[in-house]
Amino acid sequence: MPAEKEVVLIQKATVYDLMRIIEEHPDKAYTPEELKKLFDAYITGAEQ
C-alpha cells in the first residue's frame, strides 16, 4: 500500500493529467455526463 505522500503525489498527477486533457479543447464546454465519462475512462485505464 502506498504511503500517504505517494497517495498525495498520485492524486496531484491525476488532476494534472485530467486538466491537460480538458485544456486540449479550450472552446468546448463539458457537460457533467461528459466529465463523468472522462473520469471513468481515466480511472479504468489507470487500473489496468
Side-chain angles (χ1 to χ4, degrees):
M1 183 147 212
E4 187 175 336
K5 278 187 166 185
E6 291 172 320
V7 170
V8 170
L9 287 174
I10 292 167
Q11 289 172 336
K12 288 180 179 183
T14 301
V15 171
Y16 177 78
D17 288 347
L18 291 169
M19 184 177 68
R20 295 289 311 257
I21 291 169
I22 292 169
E23 286 178 341
E24 286 179 6
H25 304 284
D27 56 332
K28 178 169 177 36
Y30 290 88
T31 66
E33 185 61 31
E34 288 172 322
L35 289 173
K36 183 181 179 309
K37 286 179 183 179
L38 176 64
F39 298 155
D40 287 344
Y42 189 89
I43 291 167
T44 302
E47 292 175 351
Q48 295 179 4

